[in-house]
Amino acid sequence: MKLTMLGTGNAPVTECYNTCFVISDDARHLLVDGGGGNTVLAQLKRAGIDWKDLREIFVTHKHIDHLLGIVWLMRMICQNMRRGTYEGEATIYAHDEVIKILRDMAQTLLAAKDAAFIDDRLHLVVVEDGEHVELIGHDVTFFDIASTKAKQFGFHMDLGDDRSLCCCGDEPYNEREEPYAAGSTWLLHEAFCLHEQADIFHPYEKHHSTVKDACELAERLGVENLVLYHTEDRNIARRRELYTAEGSRYYHGNLLVPDDLDVIEL
């Protein structure tokens, strides 16, 4: 299995793409979020992942830097279903608010002949807090992260062989996530900026974490591998070096600060 980071940045970045990624198990792919536009198509192409091979998509929440790329994929999938160049069916999973927005946008923005494939071959499925679903052959549990900004779900994936992956979305860890995050093999957590630059980027005003915060959390939860994403981009050239240097003071597991298109073996 592998994790391909299509984007690693927060909402207003221009030096990288918004945070979204693909979890792959052989030829099966789960796309998580789509970033803020059709750059998701370019990132998939650069990563060597054919968007026509996507059958399962999960959207964490309604913010435009996560949602709008999904609208582009809906357009491409429906168009190619109509043309006979997309085989089979596809499913987008999200909580009720996101599904309603995607359904409304599809009906408003897509051509009627393409929107006709919604609920026929492109399924929009509402998931609930604590619900289990099998995705790319693995048990996945969705959970509400108790966001104070917009309703948002994370997920826990059973990787097999007593290994697990937990995605906490793009907001700081909440104690209600402990059953899913504690002791996880892989923890995906946002880190808006360096702790020493909090006075510059004001992460707490935006309800985000610093590198120090995320690393202290992973240390406390006994996480084996920590992946930091959803960052600022002013330090992009030295982001990995700077974030790793700060984070390693607080976390003694395997700390990863990926760039866009990096591939991580799970």
Side-chain angles (χ1 to χ4, degrees), residues 33-58:
D33 290 339
N38 71 350
T39 298
V40 67
L41 301 174
Q43 293 299 85
L44 285 164
K45 182 177 181 180
R46 292 175 183 130
I49 300 172
D50 189 338
W51 65 264
K52 290 183 181 178
D53 291 333
L54 295 175
R55 294 294 180 275
E56 295 164 306
I57 298 170
F58 171 57

Side-chain angles (χ1 to χ4, degrees), residues 121-140:
R121 291 172 56 195
L122 177 55
H123 307 286
L124 305 184
V125 175
V126 172
V127 294
E128 304 291 343
D129 181 29
E131 182 173 350
H132 297 269
V133 174
E134 184 178 296
L135 300 179
I136 61 170
H138 295 266
D139 182 70
V140 170

